[in-house]
Amino acid sequence: VQLQASGGGLVQPGGSLRLSCAASGTISAINVMGWYRQAPGKQRELVATITSGGVTDYADAVKGRFTISRDDAKNTVSLQTNMLKPEDTAVYYCNLRVRTRGSWSWTNYWGQGTQVTVSS
């Protein structure tokens, strides 16, 4: 299973970006999909998650500004980021909990990360 993240970039404060992450491989099912971020000198932190039933959860710092969504037909998860702040600057990683074909177990996979820089 491989994850390909895209959509990062440089944006001014107050701007928006849409991050996407597409999974490929012998996928049977995807349970939780999520986005995490890691700023320089800081630990990786949870940004948002969405379950297979569509239940979402957000870090307090992004509530009301970010929206996570998923497209199970395309094995993708997206993160719409609005009203971006300089403190949102980080490398954003997608994480998918996947069951591959022929397996009964779940495995967490990480994307390669996409840089989001918020600066004037």
Side-chain angles (χ1 to χ4, degrees), residues 42-108:
K42 294 187 177 181
Q43 290 188 333
R44 190 172 298 188
E45 63 178 5
L46 172 69
V47 175
T49 60
I50 183 168
T51 69
S52 56
V55 177
T56 58
D57 189 30
Y58 296 92
D60 288 342
V62 306
K63 282 181 180 177
R65 300 188 297 121
F66 291 9
T67 302
I68 189 171
S69 60
R70 61 189 287 165
D71 184 339
D72 290 320
K74 297 181 180 179
N75 291 333
T76 61
V77 59
S78 298
L79 185 70
Q80 178 65 43
T81 66
N82 299 325
M83 296 181 288
L84 284 162
K85 305 175 181 179
E87 52 263 43
D88 294 319
T89 296
V91 179
Y92 284 69
Y93 298 90
C94 55
N95 177 273
L96 276 60
R97 188 166 174 81
V98 176
R99 187 169 66 198
T100 56
R101 293 174 193 167
S103 174
W104 289 103
S105 63
W106 296 92
T107 303
N108 282 318

Side-chain angles (χ1 to χ4, degrees), residues 5-62:
S6 61
L10 173 64
V11 63
Q12 292 186 340
S16 300
L17 286 172
R18 185 173 180 84
L19 310 183
S20 293
C21 177
S24 60
T26 55
I27 297 169
S28 173
I30 302 177
N31 190 349
V32 180
M33 297 181 173
W35 286 95
Y36 293 72
R37 67 186 181 185
Q38 187 167 17
K42 294 187 177 181
Q43 290 188 333
R44 190 172 298 188
E45 63 178 5
L46 172 69
V47 175
T49 60
I50 183 168
T51 69
S52 56
V55 177
T56 58
D57 189 30
Y58 296 92
D60 288 342
V62 306

